[in-house]
Amino acid sequence: MAAIQRRQFDTLIIGAGGGGLRAALRLSEAEASVAVVSKVFPTRSHTVAAQGGMNAALANVSPDNWHWHMFDTIKGSDYLGDQDAIEYMCRAAPKAVYELEHFGVPFSRLDNGSIYQRAFGGQSQNFGGDQAVRTCAAADRTGHAILHSLYQQNIRAKTHFFDEYFSVDLLKDEEGHVLGALVFNIMDGQPLIIEAKTTLLATGGAGQIYRNTTNAMINTGDGLGMALRAGVPLQDMEFFQFHPTGIAGRGMLITEAARGEGGYLVNGEGERLMERYAPKAKDLASRDVVSRAIATEIREGRGCGVNKDHVLLKLDHLGEAVIQQRLPGIRQTCMTFLGIDPAEAAIPVSPTAHYTMGGIPTNRHAQVVVPVKDTPEEAVYGLYAAGECACVSVHGANRLGGNSLLDILVFGRAAANHIIGHLAENRYHRPMDESSVEKAMQRFQRWNKNPGQDGESVNVLRHELKTVMEKHCGVFRNEAVLREGVEQIEQLAERVKDAKIEDHSDTFNTARVEALELENLIACGLATMHSAFARTESRGAHSRMDYPERDDKNWMRHSLYSLDTGLDYKPVRTKPVSVDSFPPKPRIY
Amino acid sequence: MSRPNPVSASQLHWRCRRGMLELDLLLNTFVEVQFSHLSREDTALFLSLLEYPDQVLLDLLLGKMESSDAMVSDLTARIRRTWFDKFNCAKTT
């Protein structure tokens, strides 16, 4: 085998969404040498899809302060969020917005020239009082504006990009120091060792483990899979946010605005189903309530369509003029993807996987932390994570709208700050561990040969994984459903070991990329299913029909799933940095 | 189609991996169904369309925005129609 090409950088960043690019910019400006590896062109990262905006207590529209924002985030997290990290994020939010403004993000403006802010669910003044108006937005394309501005700033700062390179595995030595990663160029299949004093994982979420998801196809949990294989457990993976109204079988979001304008849900028997589940709020009940109601209707045979696998969202009674005026985007989406005009026909919808609350455990400096003996959070030398792939944990059991862009920017920056300190104290690269390279190369080359004649196809297995996750670890969860899910996903994980691909070429071999992605998806699926099965309570997005109450006595703790040792737990950090703790209370809105 | 296509289907598929699910679905379906029918010129035009920022591409493909370039406009209509025909949209409900 020819020698593998090697490059050295101070910092390797895997993933070029908002979190990775924010960190890269700070580091490049501090004159660190930075490599950003991305499997797609950076401005095609999933950050581009974030439309809603970014929370910061600027108080431009309503009275506001970071402490109220902190309270709302902790309450929204159903008290599973770590309060020190949440305080840090909410305090840092205004500065993060002003920095973006200076980078060129064209935030929408109020008449007086200050940054426009809009109201979002779960935001309050004065610790649960009147609605707060906290979300800063650049029209309906905030994520797009942020991503493009950060990319351009990085080009100016001379960040080194490896576009269309896929990361295979982290490289580390026997003492556990992370030394970089093995990656390969998708264009020609050539592997490359990137040696780095520090490595930041910023690879986004894992929505593609579900059949029905709002997530782009790139969201395959690559960083999560890499972390698991490097011996880092995944935290709180049972908490996956579902949006109640995705286009059935496709996943695209039909926003709450449709129900806000008077749309309502009907089941296969023509009944307005939400009257039974939320007699007061009806179709405007919270996301988790509506998602569970739809899942229950489908499960009990009252779904619509030939397979009775969705319900219908009716808007036609609103009339064409109202729909065109107030919901033009929804109309265009339906006409393009379904060929139906919601002014004339109902939209088939079902819950759709939206956001990964769990991920790689980190502290508020974005250092990856793992339990070592009696210490629940020991930093892994040289390894950081930020954004949706990380679990810092500011979202706990449920993320509030407007907090995801904030999370990636604040903790991308925090990671860079800590890395700058690390680089000052660690001026030289540690020697590469060649056995680690060999192990990563084995994984990379495994797909060049098929282990057996009977291996199944990657596409078939991926489809099965998504179906198993949807059926057994979706909105509707109980012991029997999850137990069967655990069995099925364990079997799937075994079958993937023998899977095969037909294409063994080097040039743009996307079959191999998809096979490597499947391994990451399976790892995420295992963590999610096992963690959900074990957590016998309902909290935030994790809803157990057989354990409908939150159980603070036994379950106010974080799950940690490891490939080698299974499940473990660690306490929630309930002590903020400078203010009093917010003790758990019922989460009522 | 006088000359062979300079890019492979898998290369095009990879360039169709975008930041938004809506684009993933429309663009990949187009490549899957139409690749073997694409002329060299069609492919070049499609590749140039893929250079557009995601948000602009979405606006074009959902009909929120119309391109002033008739060829781009025709191509986006063809991408929409390919999806529509493949999934027999009017009958999905």
Side-chain angles (χ1 to χ4, degrees):
Chain A
M1 187 175 67
I4 305 166
Q5 198 191 348
R6 293 173 189 233
R7 298 284 299 271
Q8 286 193 332
F9 291 89
D10 289 330
T11 302
L12 164 63
I13 296 176
I14 301 175
L21 292 187
R22 181 66 193 90
L25 178 58
R26 175 101 177 92
L27 286 162
S28 288
E29 286 182 334
E31 299 190 349
S33 64
V34 182
V36 176
V37 168
S38 177
K39 64 181 179 179
V40 293
F41 191 75
T43 52
R44 296 172 195 165
S45 304
H46 195 49
T47 300
V48 84
Q51 295 181 342
M54 171 175 171
N55 291 339
L58 305 183
N60 287 352
V61 176
S62 68
D64 206 356
N65 73 52
W66 67 265
H67 203 189
W68 300 347
H69 182 187
M70 178 183 172
F71 167 80
D72 292 338
T73 303
I74 292 167
K75 181 181 173 187
S77 81
D78 223 351
Y79 297 91
L80 196 72
D82 287 329
Q83 298 196 15
D84 60 337
I86 294 173
E87 177 181 341
Y88 178 84
M89 179 179 80
C90 296
R91 274 179 178 272
K95 189 175 178 189
V97 170
Y98 298 139
E99 277 180 344
L100 289 174
E101 191 182 28
H102 296 154
F103 296 154
V105 174
F107 283 110
S108 302
R109 296 282 159 181
L110 296 164
D111 289 342
N112 67 7
S114 56
I115 290 173
Y116 164 83
Q117 295 187 279
R118 62 165 65 115
F120 237 101
Q123 299 173 347
S124 73
Q125 298 178 43
N126 206 18
F127 311 109
D130 292 343
Q131 174 76 43
V133 183
R134 189 175 291 147
T135 309
C136 309
D140 62 351
R141 49 189 63 189
T142 314
H144 171 92
I146 290 173
L147 193 64
H148 280 255
S149 296
L150 285 174
Y151 180 65
Q152 285 154 13
Q153 291 290 340
N154 269 287
I155 295 296
R156 179 191 55 77
K158 299 191 168 41
T159 299
H160 193 110
F161 284 93
F162 290 89
D163 297 340
E164 295 186 336
Y165 276 68
F166 190 87
S167 299
V168 178
D169 262 325
L170 294 171
L171 302 173
K172 60 174 199 172
D173 64 20
E174 284 186 358
E175 293 165 75
H177 303 124
V178 173
L179 309 172
L182 176 76
V183 306
F184 71 95
N185 187 346
I186 295 170
M187 187 177 74
D188 61 13
Q190 292 307 303
L192 170 68
I193 294 166
I194 298 185
E195 294 187 39
K197 297 171 197 164
T198 49
T199 301
L200 169 67
L201 295 169
T203 54
Q208 283 291 326
I209 58 174
Y210 288 98
R211 190 177 68 100
N212 228 28
T213 177
T214 63
N215 283 201
M217 286 163 68
I218 51 177
N219 288 22
T220 52
D222 299 334
L224 286 79
M226 291 170 73
L228 269 178
R229 286 189 296 277
V232 175
L234 295 186
Q235 180 175 317
D236 294 341
M237 287 297 286
E238 63 271 43
F239 297 101
F240 215 105
Q241 190 171 69
F242 287 84
H243 193 286
T245 54
I247 290 183
R250 304 274 175 239
M252 286 83 76
L253 210 61
I254 301 293
T255 67
E256 268 99 352
R259 282 171 287 135
E261 291 295 340
Y264 60 86
L265 296 161
V266 295
N267 64 14
E269 292 162 17
E271 299 166 334
R272 279 192 67 167
L273 61 106
M274 287 312 299
E275 288 179 350
R276 199 159 54 244
Y277 297 92
K280 268 182 149 177
K282 294 181 184 161
D283 295 85
L284 296 178
S286 63
R287 282 182 183 179
D288 53 339
V289 171
V290 181
S291 292
R292 277 198 299 278
I294 295 172
T296 304
E297 292 294 302
I298 293 169
R299 202 160 183 93
E300 293 180 356
R302 292 188 296 277
C304 303
V306 179
N307 298 320
K308 295 183 181 289
D309 59 358
H310 60 264
V311 297
L312 294 174
L313 174 60
K314 279 180 71 66
L315 298 176
D316 51 340
H317 58 286
L318 300 176
E320 187 179 349
V322 170
I323 291 173
Q324 185 53 36
Q325 191 190 350
R326 296 193 196 147
L327 304 168
I330 288 171
R331 191 179 194 198
Q332 283 156 340
T333 299
C334 291
M335 290 172 82
T336 303
F337 287 98
L338 296 171
I340 61 170
D341 183 349
E344 293 169 3
I347 310 166
V349 293
S350 60
T352 181
H354 190 49
Y355 188 85
T356 315
M357 262 83 69
I360 303 159
T362 62
N363 61 22
R364 68 174 184 275
H365 308 294
Q367 290 177 285
V368 172
V369 289
V370 296
V372 177
K373 293 182 182 162
D374 295 332
T375 315
E377 298 188 329
E378 188 85 17
V380 178
Y381 181 98
L383 185 60
Y384 297 77
E388 194 172 343
C389 75
C391 186
V392 50
S393 146
V394 286
H395 308 304
N398 179 55
R399 178 184 64 84
L400 287 188
N403 269 355
S404 57
L405 284 176
L406 179 61
D407 170 14
I408 64 175
L409 293 158
V410 166
F411 291 104
R413 189 179 190 280
N417 285 342
H418 200 275
I419 287 170
I420 289 167
H422 179 101
L423 293 174
E425 290 171 9
N426 298 272
R427 296 179 57 197
Y428 303 104
H429 288 268
R430 300 182 77 87
M432 179 50 67
D433 185 303
E434 296 306 324
S435 66
S436 176
V437 173
E438 202 174 309
K439 200 172 154 197
M441 277 301 289
Q442 277 172 6
R443 176 166 180 258
F444 173 56
Q445 291 173 328
R446 170 258 182 266
W447 292 101
N448 287 346
K449 49 186 183 292
N450 297 324
Q453 292 296 317
D454 303 327
E456 295 169 271
S457 93
V458 165
N459 283 344
V460 166
L461 291 168
R462 187 176 54 231
H463 179 73
E464 238 181 272
L465 166 72
K466 287 163 169 271
T467 308
V468 167
M469 291 304 297
E470 182 166 291
K471 196 170 166 194
H472 295 283
C473 204
V475 175
F476 187 96
R477 298 175 178 184
N478 65 26
E479 181 167 338
V481 165
L482 285 161
R483 185 186 297 282
E484 203 179 319
V486 167
E487 283 171 20
Q488 291 193 14
I489 196 152
E490 289 285 357
Q491 286 168 10
L492 264 174
E494 286 302 310
R495 286 161 59 195
V496 167
K497 290 178 186 166
D498 293 326
K500 65 176 181 184
I501 55 175
E502 302 299 337
D503 183 359
H504 296 146
S505 65
D506 281 331
T507 309
F508 262 102
N509 185 345
T510 51
R512 178 165 57 196
V513 175
E514 286 171 5
L516 292 163
E517 287 177 337
L518 174 66
E519 290 178 320
N520 293 330
L521 288 167
I522 285 279
C524 294
L526 283 166
T528 306
M529 191 75 80
H530 278 284
S531 305
F533 179 55
R535 186 175 284 270
T536 51
E537 66 157 353
S538 288
R539 182 185 298 268
H542 174 66
S543 177
R544 290 279 301 249
M545 301 301 170
D546 44 353
Y547 296 95
E549 302 298 327
R550 195 177 77 196
D551 177 359
D552 291 328
K553 187 163 167 251
N554 294 304
W555 285 106
M556 215 171 106
R557 53 186 183 157
H558 295 297
S559 310
L560 292 171
Y561 174 81
S562 154
L563 284 179
D564 297 328
T565 54
L567 280 164
D568 192 6
Y569 295 92
K570 69 174 184 181
V572 174
R573 293 196 297 269
T574 54
K575 188 160 172 33
V577 179
S578 69
V579 292
D580 290 339
S581 297
F582 289 102
K585 288 181 180 169
R587 192 169 64 107
I588 298 165
Y589 289 104
Chain B
M1 205 160 32
S2 53
R3 290 173 295 170
N5 234 315
V7 292
S8 65
S10 56
Q11 190 171 351
L12 274 187
H13 271 303
W14 196 253
R15 297 275 151 82
C16 293
R17 287 264 199 126
R18 314 299 290 207
M20 297 172 174
L21 179 69
E22 289 84 348
L23 295 178
D24 284 338
L25 296 177
L26 288 170
L27 297 171
N28 277 294
T29 301
F30 179 74
V31 175
E32 186 188 319
V33 175
Q34 301 286 356
F35 181 73
S36 57
H37 310 297
L38 290 181
S39 67
R40 208 177 164 89
E41 291 71 28
D42 286 341
T43 306
L45 183 63
F46 185 65
L47 280 168
S48 71
L49 187 73
L50 294 181
E51 294 300 314
Y52 285 35
D54 278 5
Q55 193 69 51
V56 175
L57 204 44
L58 186 73
D59 288 350
L60 285 171
L61 289 172
L62 294 191
K64 286 184 196 173
M65 189 196 284
E66 187 77 19
S67 173
S68 55
D69 182 331
M71 285 170 70
V72 171
S73 201
D74 285 351
L75 179 59
T76 54
R78 196 172 157 194
I79 293 169
R80 273 200 301 270
R81 200 165 55 245
T82 301
W83 170 274
F84 194 88
D85 291 345
K86 171 157 182 173
F87 294 103
N88 201 9
C89 284
K91 293 181 184 170
T92 52
T93 54

